[in-house]
Amino acid sequence: MRDLRPATHTPPHPVSSIWLGAFLALACACVPFEAAQALDLRQAFDAAITADARLNAARATADAAAERLPQARSQLLPNIALSASRAENLLDTTRPNPLTGDKFTTTERYPSTNAVLNLRQTLFRRQQTLGVDQAEYLVDDARQTLNLEMQNTAVRVSGAYFDALLATDQLELIEAQKISTTTGLDAARKALVAGHGTRTDVDQAQTRLDMVLAQEIEARQHVDFTRRQLQNLIGRAPDTLSGLDPARLQTTTNSVASLNDLIAEATASNPEIRSLKSRVEATRLEVAKASAGHYPTLDLVAQISNSQSDSVTNPFAAYYNRSIGVQLSLPIYSGGYVTSTERQAAAQLQNAQAVLDGAVLDLSLRVEREYRNVTEGAAKIQALGQASRSAAVALDSTRKSYAAGVRTLLDVLNADQELKTNERNLIQARYNYIAARIRLAALLGNANPVIEEANGWLR
């Protein structure tokens, strides 16, 4: 369990043990139990699923795209509409007198009403039928895009999580190096005062300490930055993180499939590739829809109308009409619009296919890179572990030689720095190995099991 907050020192206060115990008991009662728990990788990923802005945007996009399917299907269902109107009419009628031939005008005031119920049912519309199939591919495209963003979130969260752990481990190594360098500087000063040391040893130790202090400032800033990165993903500030237990880490690659098998699996299951395949099929149907502009359409049409005083020729007549039939529409000439849309859709299909082909090639390279990172990373961990053990033995021998007067203080400081460098490289290699395994699983569209496995390597 690692505390990512910079260490601070609080001076003791003259508080009796009784009051101090009461205060601690009250504090424990007020703080929720969960606050004392370290945040592990699984919990960080679960928090990011709801808090990550990019994932929430992809989720909203998928929800919006899902409505394409019912919208497309609605075009094949009956369309029923009701219209009604009422008006007050003032009719002036001028007609000749049949006896005298003089014209006279009469004025009539009357209300008129009209109500019409229309039903239209598609019998044959090629474009709308293809639109339903196209909508299914577009919905699948959005779902795969959401899955892709889910895999990317797993990669981002795990990367930020292990970056935060690495920053903390590096700070701990620098603090340990500061202690050993300070100890060496004190020893060099005492030796100089005693008359058997040199000013050179003091200056070299002071220079090394100044460099370590500068590295410590940078390391503390990096700890704060990595914590903020993780906070932006999970939506809350992480106080403590569960650290990696090297004894639990499994670096065997026997269970990893061959590179060719992984590339084949990624091509079939990678959400980005599946999304692009759906886009290609949707674009192919767009070409068919453009060609369907030459097809006729056939609809079933039914109507019921009820009107009262709806005609000025017979203002007080009432009509109740019912009709049913079919309506055929045959396109003859549209100014070349249909042909143009066909060419446009064909060009878009060519573009979508080219994007898919490029993505497949790029995916094979990414799978190979992560495969190498996993297999070579496991071997690198073994080699760096041996190098750290050898550097620890070398440091112990150098210290003994310095005590015997054979080596200088600078030799001891160099050996200590070599050990810290190997330890830092070993720690980083472990995190890189785990991150590579998660990235490889994400390329296969299934990062969740590897995150669960990596979570078991934490303490």
Side-chain angles (χ1 to χ4, degrees):
M1 186 181 301
R2 302 181 183 272
D3 191 349
L4 296 183
R5 294 171 294 186
T8 57
H9 177 69
T10 304
H13 297 279
V15 181
S16 66
S17 59
I18 297 178
W19 284 105
L20 181 59
F23 174 77
L24 293 176
L26 179 60
C28 292
C30 295
V31 178
F33 176 74
E34 290 77 9
Q37 300 298 311
L39 181 73
D40 60 25
L41 180 60
R42 175 80 259 179
Q43 293 169 338
F45 180 54
D46 291 341
I49 290 177
T50 58
D52 184 59
R54 293 169 60 177
L55 183 57
N56 287 334
R59 189 179 292 111
T61 301
D63 292 340
E67 299 302 323
R68 290 177 176 268
L69 190 55
Q71 292 172 8
R73 288 172 177 170
S74 67
Q75 301 301 310
L76 300 178
L77 298 177
N79 189 329
I80 303 174
L82 173 65
S83 62
S85 63
R86 176 181 172 84
E88 292 292 333
N89 302 277
L90 187 63
L91 178 63
D92 293 335
T93 304
T94 301
R95 57 172 65 92
N97 190 317
L99 298 178
T100 64
D102 297 332
K103 294 183 178 180
F104 67 97
T105 300
T106 60
T107 300
E108 296 175 297
R109 188 185 188 114
Y110 63 94
S112 63
T113 60
N114 184 35
V116 180
L117 179 65
N118 284 303
L119 181 144
R120 179 179 293 272
Q121 170 62 58
T122 296
L123 298 179
F124 179 78
R125 285 182 180 263
R126 178 65 174 166
Q127 287 183 329
Q128 294 177 353
T129 303
L130 293 173
V132 175
D133 297 333
Q134 186 183 45
E136 292 178 349
Y137 283 112
L138 293 175
V139 171
D140 183 69
D141 173 24
R143 290 172 179 168
Q144 296 303 325
T145 301
L146 175 59
N147 186 20
L148 172 63
E149 195 57 47
M150 184 74 73
Q151 304 304 315
N152 291 339
T153 299
V155 172
R156 290 196 302 271
V157 171
S158 59
Y161 188 94
F162 292 123
D163 282 346
L165 288 182
L166 176 61
T168 304
D169 290 337
Q170 288 177 338
L171 178 59
E172 291 177 355
L173 289 174
I174 291 175
E175 289 175 341
Q177 188 175 2
K178 182 178 70 172
I179 293 175
S180 61
T181 305
T182 302
T183 302
L185 177 60
D186 292 339
R189 287 172 176 171
K190 293 177 181 179
L192 180 63
V193 172
H196 56 80
T198 64
R199 185 66 190 178
T200 301
D201 287 342
V202 175
D203 293 340
Q204 289 176 339
Q206 183 64 55
T207 301
R208 187 62 58 84
L209 178 60
D210 293 338
M211 181 181 64
V212 171
L213 291 176
Q215 292 175 346
E216 182 184 17
I217 295 174
E218 182 180 0
R220 291 188 182 278
Q221 292 176 345
H222 191 56
V223 168
D224 293 337
F225 176 74
T226 54
R227 290 183 69 244
R228 178 58 63 90
Q229 279 187 317
L230 184 59
Q231 176 181 345
N232 291 342
L233 291 173
I234 66 177
R236 60 186 177 93
D239 291 332
T240 57
L241 298 181
S242 296
L244 178 66
D245 186 356
R248 298 182 184 179
L249 177 62
Q250 301 294 329
T251 58
T252 178
T253 58
N254 295 333
S255 59
V256 180
S258 66
L259 178 59
N260 291 334
D261 292 339
L262 288 174
I263 292 177
E265 182 180 353
T267 304
S269 60
N270 179 265
E272 181 182 5
I273 300 301
R274 295 180 63 179
S275 172
L276 292 175
K277 288 180 179 179
S278 294
R279 294 181 193 178
V280 169
E281 295 304 320
T283 308
R284 197 185 310 278
L285 288 172
E286 187 65 28
V287 176
K289 286 176 62 178
S291 300
H294 298 294
Y295 285 67
T297 61
L298 183 64
D299 297 332
L300 172 68
V301 180
Q303 177 178 286
I304 299 175
S305 63
N306 188 4
S307 60
Q308 177 72 37
S309 302
D310 196 34
S311 173
V312 296
T313 58
N314 195 0
F316 297 101
Y319 301 94
Y320 181 68
N321 183 36
R322 290 145 290 178
S323 65
I324 186 171
V326 293
Q327 182 177 5
L328 175 67
S329 176
L330 180 63
I332 297 177
Y333 180 69
S334 60
Y337 175 81
V338 175
T339 304
S340 176
T341 56
E342 285 180 309
R343 293 194 300 267
Q344 181 185 37
Q348 291 173 342
L349 175 60
Q350 185 178 6
N351 172 267
Q353 185 63 54
V355 171
L356 173 61
D357 295 339
V360 170
L361 294 176
D362 181 67
L363 176 65
S364 64
L365 292 178
R366 287 187 289 163
V367 170
E368 181 175 1
R369 180 177 64 242
E370 301 305 335
Y371 175 80
R372 301 298 181 192
N373 288 337
V374 171
T375 55
E376 296 173 3
K380 186 176 182 180
I381 290 174
Q382 299 296 329
L384 288 173
Q386 181 59 45
S388 296
R389 291 188 290 271
S390 299
V393 173
L395 175 60
D396 184 65
S397 300
T398 304
R399 285 173 175 169
K400 293 178 180 179
S401 299
Y402 172 70
V406 179
R407 294 292 185 94
T408 65
L409 178 62
L410 181 60
D411 294 331
V412 176
L413 296 177
N414 288 336
D416 181 65
Q417 183 177 4
E418 181 69 18
L419 173 60
K420 296 300 186 294
T421 299
N422 285 327
E423 290 178 343
R424 181 174 62 251
N425 292 338
L426 175 59
I427 293 172
Q428 186 170 8
R430 289 168 178 161
Y431 293 141
N432 289 342
Y433 169 78
I434 301 174
R437 290 195 60 171
I438 294 176
R439 290 195 299 268
L440 180 59
L443 292 177
L444 302 179
N446 197 17
N448 191 67
V450 181
I451 286 183
E452 197 67 37
E453 181 183 20
N455 198 63
W457 298 336
L458 305 178
R459 57 171 177 263

